[in-house]
Amino acid sequence: MSARAVWEEEPTVAGRLGKPVVLALIALAVAFPLYVVVVTSLSSTEAVTRAGGLVVVPRELTVAAYVQLLSGGVVTRALVISVAITVIGTAFSLGLTVLAAYGLSRPGSLFHRPLLFVVLLTFLFGPGIIPSYLVVNSLGLIDHYASLILPAAISAFNLIVMRSFFMGIPGELIDSARIDGAGEFAILRRIVLPLSKAVVAVVGLFYAVGYWNAFFNALLYINDNSKWPLQMVLRTYIVQQAPLPTGAGGVANVGLGLAPAPGLAIKMAIVVIAIVPVLLVYPFIQRHFQKGVIIGAVKG
Amino acid sequence: MTFRHRLRRDWPLLVMVLPVTVLLGVFHYFPTLGNVIAFQDYSPYAGIRGSEFIGFGNFQRMFAEPAFWQAVANTVTITAVQLVFFFPIPIALALLLNSVLSSKLRNLIQGVVYLPHFFSWVLVVSLFQQMIGGAGLLAQTLRDNGHQAIDLMTKPDTFILLVTAQSVWKDAGWGMIVFLAALSTISPELYESAAADGANRWRRLWHITLPGLRPVIVLLLILRLGDALTVGFEQFILQRSAVGGGAAEVLDTYVYYQGLLVGDFGYGAAAGLFKGVVGLVLVLVANRFAHMVGEQGVYSKS
């Protein structure tokens, strides 16, 4: 509906004026903090001093903070770790989820119902923090990067979303491929996956955002701070306000002949670095969930 | 068809499901069984087999512990406050957005309000700190204008409103999706004939829109009640040291601090198990209730 229906009343004055104001305030509530953080991260020492802290009006922008953070040290290392965990974890989770979703999408197959029950039951209760910790510990995964992937690799929700989509693929397509002699793996690769690009993309992006944002598993399982992902760094230096280490192994002091960035700009640059990947994939997520991939699956 | 026939036909499907089954087995079901240590005087050196069973000893200790009840009270209070101050907001947002005629503007606003859902809690807390914390923009502006600076991130008495505001900022937009979907299923003809019968916009809202949303509202309300003991872990663990355990200790953080950090595994597992079992009962009761009031509920016997 892009125009007002003929039977609808004229909008009231309050509605005509109030609605844009409310919408603008809502958008501003989301956008303004992000704006302030970005501007401050790009500000020079002088600009930060003049503003007395966070900078709202941009003046003398510089990328010194980013150069310092990304030329080696704590944040560079955490960034590399987070990117690696996200890429490897997403590939792993997505691959296993696709396989299981297809394996469970043929009603009447052997053990179909009990296996589906095993997946669904994980919705009803969690194993608890301490028993999970003890299992990860006894597998020798403490301080191992695998502890950031394996325990949370499978989201039952994502699996069910994908399975519902696979079940909507016309059975005739699959049956005719089977008559042509295709095995299940070939059917999955040649028939089902090409028809399911959207749902695979959405589920992949959900996994990726999940890995990128994961903080709690690192808190539980990674004691060695040289193995911290970015969210742990963010927590330590921004939320807990620990002083940033400088010099070798910390944050580089100078880079490319730029004046050193103020501490606040460096901190805000860490925040921005944590946001950017989410902003990069966000348009893709948005394009897909507007098609109702998620909602349809939840209802089914 | 015999079992052997079906096995010969379906073994590739079973192979496909196998890795996920193994992962869930190792990292979900196996630890679930590990909850037996809640009934033990568990020692990591002796292990589950070597540790002594003490029956409900851990639970007795827990129920006599005021800090535990403080955590329960905090959790339940936070759930209640969020039901009142969070729950209606996505509904209102969806109604507001649904009334925006330009689909371009609607998409833009949707894009903006969904975004924070994809931020981590660390990021959300960081952003709030920069806005209303002790060194944040609000304090800075107040100080510049000669007022006393305030730090809303460390005040225990307003902490509950702070976490609710954070939840609203992060997830109110996302929560709107399901209501928008429900709104789109209401037939425009209903509105048209109501208007022809002389119903003004408020009467249409009351007699058509809200009844159309009722099933979704009831379902989500029930889900939230079933989840009453879960208020979000990361959000609290991140801020507990700033405001103290008196206000910020919830059941999950209690398990983390009293069980894991001090190495009192059996006791922590007991607190975790308490939360898990009560949570499970709440979900089952809530679902039964949904069926009773004639709604679909979360699951049904098929």
Side-chain angles (χ1 to χ4, degrees):
Chain A
M1 183 167 51
S2 56
R4 191 159 45 86
V6 281
W7 45 266
E8 239 177 306
E9 304 91 328
E10 285 282 314
T12 59
V13 178
R16 213 171 341 175
L17 296 177
K19 216 184 277 178
V21 171
V22 173
L23 289 176
L25 283 178
I26 290 169
L28 209 61
V30 174
F32 183 68
L34 301 180
Y35 165 82
V36 171
V37 166
V38 170
V39 169
T40 306
S41 76
L42 292 169
S43 291
S44 64
T45 309
E46 205 210 335
V48 170
T49 316
R50 187 144 32 133
L54 292 157
V55 184
V56 179
V57 185
R59 271 195 205 97
E60 307 154 46
L61 300 183
T62 163
V63 291
Y66 293 91
V67 174
Q68 279 176 252
L69 285 176
L70 297 177
S71 54
V74 179
V75 174
T76 311
R77 189 174 52 211
L79 183 62
V80 170
I81 292 169
S82 277
V83 169
I85 296 286
T86 303
V87 170
I88 297 169
T90 304
F92 181 74
S93 295
L94 190 58
L96 294 193
T97 303
V98 166
L99 282 175
Y102 180 73
L104 291 171
S105 71
R106 309 264 65 89
S109 69
L110 190 62
F111 300 136
H112 166 258
R113 289 184 75 86
L115 285 173
L116 187 61
F117 186 70
V118 164
V119 173
L120 288 175
L121 202 60
T122 61
F123 276 122
L124 274 188
F125 62 91
I129 299 161
I130 290 192
S132 298
Y133 175 84
L134 292 176
V135 167
V136 171
N137 190 25
S138 65
L139 291 172
L141 293 180
I142 297 296
D143 277 338
H144 195 294
Y145 293 124
S147 69
L148 300 180
I149 295 181
L150 293 177
I154 301 304
S155 145
F157 178 80
N158 287 345
L159 207 166
I160 297 303
V161 166
M162 197 174 279
R163 172 180 177 268
S164 315
F165 191 90
F166 288 170
M167 291 185 82
I169 292 174
E172 300 87 53
L173 279 177
I174 291 165
D175 288 340
S176 66
R178 199 166 284 149
I179 291 165
D180 291 343
E184 299 292 350
F185 285 92
I187 293 172
L188 174 59
R189 209 178 62 233
R190 291 210 292 265
I191 314 272
V192 173
L193 280 183
L195 289 171
S196 313
K197 282 181 194 142
V199 74
V200 171
V202 168
V203 166
L205 290 168
F206 269 70
Y207 273 129
V209 171
Y211 278 114
W212 181 260
N213 284 342
F215 145 76
F216 188 57
N217 278 353
L219 178 71
L220 281 185
Y221 305 137
I222 306 289
N223 302 320
D224 176 355
N225 60 13
S226 72
K227 291 180 176 170
W228 275 353
L230 195 59
Q231 302 291 337
M232 282 296 279
V233 168
L234 197 59
R235 178 228 191 197
T236 307
Y237 299 116
I238 311 297
V239 177
Q240 299 187 328
Q241 302 175 13
L244 269 166
T246 49
V251 172
N253 270 327
V254 277
L256 298 182
L258 294 163
L264 190 61
I266 291 189
K267 284 186 166 190
M268 292 308 100
I270 302 178
V271 175
V272 174
I273 289 172
I275 296 179
V276 164
V278 177
L279 290 182
L280 287 180
V281 301
Y282 183 61
F284 297 99
I285 301 184
Q286 214 204 346
R287 191 183 313 154
H288 287 302
F289 62 51
Q290 296 208 324
K291 293 178 191 160
V293 175
I294 302 298
I295 300 298
V298 177
K299 279 185 180 163
Chain B
M1 224 189 288
T2 64
F3 177 80
R4 282 185 52 186
H5 260 92
R6 292 177 71 191
L7 185 62
R8 195 177 311 155
R9 187 193 63 182
D10 292 338
W11 68 263
L13 296 175
L14 292 175
V15 171
M16 288 176 180
V17 184
L18 185 68
V20 164
T21 317
V22 169
L23 273 179
L24 291 181
V26 173
F27 292 105
H28 194 95
Y29 289 99
F30 187 59
T32 301
L33 295 179
N35 275 303
V36 291
I37 67 168
F39 304 96
Q40 286 184 329
D41 182 15
Y42 179 79
S43 144
Y45 308 103
I48 290 183
R49 289 214 191 111
S51 294
E52 188 196 347
F53 273 91
I54 52 167
F56 288 89
N58 286 322
F59 292 91
Q60 278 167 356
R61 213 174 99 211
M62 185 171 82
F63 292 143
E65 181 68 62
F68 169 74
W69 292 112
Q70 178 72 47
V72 172
N74 285 345
T75 310
V76 173
T77 315
I78 289 165
T79 295
V81 168
Q82 296 202 340
L83 269 182
V84 176
F85 291 101
F86 180 104
F87 195 81
I89 291 178
I91 305 175
L93 259 182
L95 290 174
L96 175 67
L97 213 61
N98 203 49
S99 73
V100 172
L101 293 177
S102 150
S103 62
K104 240 185 193 158
L105 181 63
R106 212 163 45 207
N107 282 341
L108 178 74
I109 300 281
Q110 264 172 291
V112 173
V113 297
Y114 292 167
L115 178 62
H117 173 75
F118 296 96
F119 291 166
S120 67
W121 271 115
V122 190
L123 197 54
V124 173
V125 173
S126 301
L127 289 173
F128 266 75
Q129 211 173 31
Q130 297 312 316
M131 290 301 114
I132 59 174
L137 199 59
L138 178 66
Q140 191 178 311
T141 313
L142 287 173
R143 227 179 284 122
D144 287 350
N145 293 302
H147 298 284
Q148 181 97 39
I150 50 168
D151 179 359
L152 295 171
M153 298 294 286
T154 53
K155 268 192 162 42
D157 9 322
T158 53
F159 180 70
I160 199 163
L161 296 175
L162 173 70
V163 291
T164 307
Q166 289 167 341
S167 299
V168 167
W169 191 83
K170 188 178 194 292
D171 281 325
W174 184 250
M176 172 183 80
I177 291 186
V178 60
F179 294 110
L180 279 179
L183 282 175
S184 70
T185 60
I186 300 175
S187 160
E189 283 160 33
L190 285 176
Y191 289 108
E192 190 171 348
S193 50
D197 290 344
N200 66 24
R201 67 183 86 228
W202 300 112
R203 291 190 70 92
R204 293 200 299 271
L205 176 72
W206 184 251
H207 290 291
I208 302 174
T209 311
L210 289 182
L213 290 180
R214 205 182 66 121
V216 185
I217 294 177
V218 171
L219 174 68
L220 289 184
L221 209 52
I222 285 169
L223 273 176
R224 187 67 197 92
L225 286 174
D227 231 7
L229 295 186
T230 306
V231 286
F233 195 166
E234 300 193 352
Q235 190 185 4
F236 292 91
I237 215 147
L238 283 165
Q239 301 181 85
R240 188 180 174 279
S241 59
V243 292
E249 190 85 288
V250 293
L251 271 172
D252 281 325
T253 57
Y254 186 78
V255 173
Y256 177 77
Y257 281 98
Q258 301 307 316
L260 202 58
L261 279 196
V262 299
D264 200 348
F265 293 109
Y267 183 74
L273 189 60
F274 171 83
K275 188 205 158 210
V277 170
V278 174
L280 184 61
V281 170
L282 284 176
V283 173
L284 297 176
V285 168
N287 200 64
R288 169 63 70 81
F289 187 74
H291 290 306
M292 265 168 51
V293 296
E295 304 291 344
Q296 267 198 334
V298 190
Y299 59 88
S300 55
K301 288 187 198 123
S302 54

